[in-house]
């Protein structure tokens, strides 16, 4: 991937040089760098706010209550996991963070969940267990009720209604998640059969 991006940059600079656009290349590079910094600062505020809310939810027990309510769903999705396992708690935390569009808050729980699943799997090294595959596919499909990143990007770039993405986002992620659940159940059925 690094070679691909590096190659595209080199080709772009060479093309600009051959067509007398070095001044334009420099101007665009400076403008893009400035815009990247502005976007990073705007996103840092959003990340701080939602990560803080996630910490508050954890400290107040709201996250534990949500995890308890997710147990029947987790039992359906991960029948091989014990209800009280640490992996179940981490998976629930990851799902809850993703549902609220907090991908950056979901990542640490997701990585820890995958490590727990690896310890529990007993599979040989380099082979993913059924639970690991299911978790990965569901995590990628990522049902979201509030697409925080997209709202922030749309707001940063002057959208008249940044939250207009919520409805289509819910529909798209609901379809992708339902598809992921069906795929996982079909594939796990084939694996067992």
């Amino acid at each position: 991937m690094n070679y691909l991006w590096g190659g595209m940059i080199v080709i772009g600079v060479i093309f600009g040089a051959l067509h007398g656009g070095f001044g334009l290349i420099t101007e665009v590079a400076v403008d893009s760098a400035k815009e990247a910094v502005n976007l990073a600062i705007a996103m840092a505020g959003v990340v701080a706010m939602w990560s803080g809310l996630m910490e508050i939810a954890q400290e107040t027990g709201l996250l534990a209550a949500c995890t308890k309510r997710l147990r029947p769903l987790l039992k359906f999705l991960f029948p091989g996991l014990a209800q009280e396992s640490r992996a179940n708690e981490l998976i629930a935390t990851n799902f809850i963070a993703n549902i609220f569009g907090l991908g950056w808050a979901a990542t640490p729980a997701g990585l820890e969940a995958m490590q727990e699943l690896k310890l529990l799997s007993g599979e040989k090294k380099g082979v993913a267990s059924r639970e690991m595959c299911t978790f990965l596919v569901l995590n990628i499909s990522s049902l979201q009720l509030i697409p925080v990143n997209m709202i922030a990007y749309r707001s940063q770039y002057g959208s008249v209604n940044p939250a207009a993405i919520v409805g289509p986002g819910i529909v798209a992620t609901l379809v992708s998640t339902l598809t992921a659940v069906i795929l996982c159940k079909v594939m796990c059925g084939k694996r067992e059969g």
Side-chain angles (χ1 to χ4, degrees):
M1 196 62 160
N2 289 338
Y3 293 122
L4 177 66
W5 285 108
M8 289 183 349
I9 290 170
V10 168
I11 290 169
V13 169
I14 292 170
F15 183 82
L18 293 175
H19 291 87
F22 262 133
L24 184 60
I25 291 172
T26 304
E27 182 181 331
V28 168
V30 170
D31 287 345
S32 296
K34 184 172 86 172
E35 189 165 327
V37 169
N38 288 336
L39 181 61
I41 290 170
M43 290 305 293
V46 172
V47 168
M49 181 188 80
W50 284 102
S51 294
L53 287 175
M54 192 70 172
E55 284 295 318
I56 291 169
Q58 189 169 10
E59 292 295 321
T60 60
L62 182 62
L63 203 53
C66 290
T67 299
K68 194 175 280 187
R69 294 213 184 265
L70 281 177
R71 279 199 179 133
L73 177 65
L74 293 176
K75 183 65 178 167
F76 171 73
L77 295 172
F78 304 98
L81 282 181
Q83 287 284 9
E84 300 300 324
S85 75
R86 172 100 171 110
N88 248 350
E89 179 184 327
L90 292 166
I91 290 168
T93 301
N94 176 273
F95 284 177
I96 291 165
N98 273 328
I99 286 170
F100 290 109
L102 310 174
W104 49 84
T107 300
L111 292 173
E112 282 185 65
M114 196 59 86
Q115 288 174 337
E116 285 292 319
L117 290 171
K118 182 179 177 185
L119 290 174
L120 295 172
S121 74
E123 300 278 342
K124 62 182 180 179
K125 187 177 180 179
V127 177
S129 69
R130 173 189 156 182
E131 285 79 13
M132 291 170 79
C133 293
T134 300
F135 176 62
L136 183 62
V137 170
L138 291 172
N139 196 24
I140 291 168
S141 73
S142 187
L143 173 64
Q144 289 188 9
L145 299 179
I146 308 167
V148 175
N149 284 347
M150 292 308 299
I151 292 170
Y153 291 141
R154 288 170 54 88
S155 177
Q156 175 70 23
Y157 291 112
S159 173
V160 176
N161 186 2
I165 194 75
V166 172
I170 290 172
V171 171
T173 59
L174 182 62
V175 168
S176 70
T177 301
L178 287 175
T179 303
V181 169
I182 292 167
L183 174 76
C184 289
K185 288 300 180 182
V186 167
M187 295 309 290
C188 289
K190 283 184 179 181
R191 192 172 180 186
E192 291 170 0

